[in-house]
Amino acid sequence: MEYQFYQGNRGPVAELSMEQAAIGRWLSDEIGNDTDRISGLLHNIEQIQDGIFEALDINGKEFILSLNRDEVEIKANSIAENFDDDSQEQMTADGLNFYDSEDIAGCGLDDFKDLLIAWLEYCSG
């Protein structure tokens, strides 16, 4: 997973690849430089890795973060409200799709954990 952090007008900004743009938006807008929240998320990941939780969904202002033992998905609330699995399957069956890289993205749990650790270090420095 490639990423770049820099200081923007409203605070720290995480920039990721186009396919993972939603993760960057989530980090920048939902989490920001809240080191306590970042530490809490890292603790949640450890709980999942230790088998305490099988999966965890965390609702934010603009995004829903879904964690399980293998992967992470970040989905904009607007996507979650307007499109359920059945409507997405129907769109795919009809040959339709929508540009959603800024609204939904995923990655492996270990990569996400490494990203959060790097973000914590960046925001703490």
Side-chain angles (χ1 to χ4, degrees):
M1 173 182 286
E2 293 185 29
Y3 51 84
Q4 177 181 334
F5 304 144
Y6 60 91
Q7 200 63 30
N9 293 337
R10 298 181 302 153
V13 176
E15 189 173 287
L16 282 77
S17 68
M18 187 184 318
E19 297 84 23
Q20 296 174 325
I23 297 172
R25 278 188 54 212
W26 173 82
L27 266 177
S28 303
D29 298 341
E30 290 272 338
I31 303 302
N33 60 0
D34 187 344
T35 56
D36 290 337
R37 190 160 178 206
I38 301 165
S39 296
L41 288 166
L42 289 167
H43 180 72
N44 291 143
I45 290 171
E46 289 174 12
Q47 290 176 314
I48 289 172
Q49 290 175 325
D50 292 343
I52 296 170
F53 297 115
E54 188 172 314
L56 186 61
D57 288 337
I58 301 171
N59 295 320
K61 295 176 190 171
E62 295 182 41
F63 290 92
I64 298 170
L65 171 65
S66 298
L67 306 164
N68 67 42
R69 295 193 109 176
D70 299 317
E71 61 187 8
V72 173
E73 181 180 69
I74 293 178
K75 185 185 300 186
N77 289 336
S78 60
I79 297 284
E81 292 167 3
N82 296 324
F83 296 98
D84 57 19
D85 289 338
D86 290 337
S87 62
Q88 179 63 42
E89 287 175 21
Q90 185 61 45
M91 285 178 68
T92 302
D94 292 341
L96 302 173
N97 208 333
F98 55 92
Y99 178 74
D100 60 6
S101 68
E102 290 187 9
D103 294 327
I104 186 169
C107 65
L109 185 64
D110 290 335
D111 286 340
F112 186 72
K113 182 178 180 180
D114 291 343
L115 174 67
L116 283 179
I117 291 168
W119 185 249
L120 180 61
E121 290 172 0
Y122 179 79
C123 291
S124 298

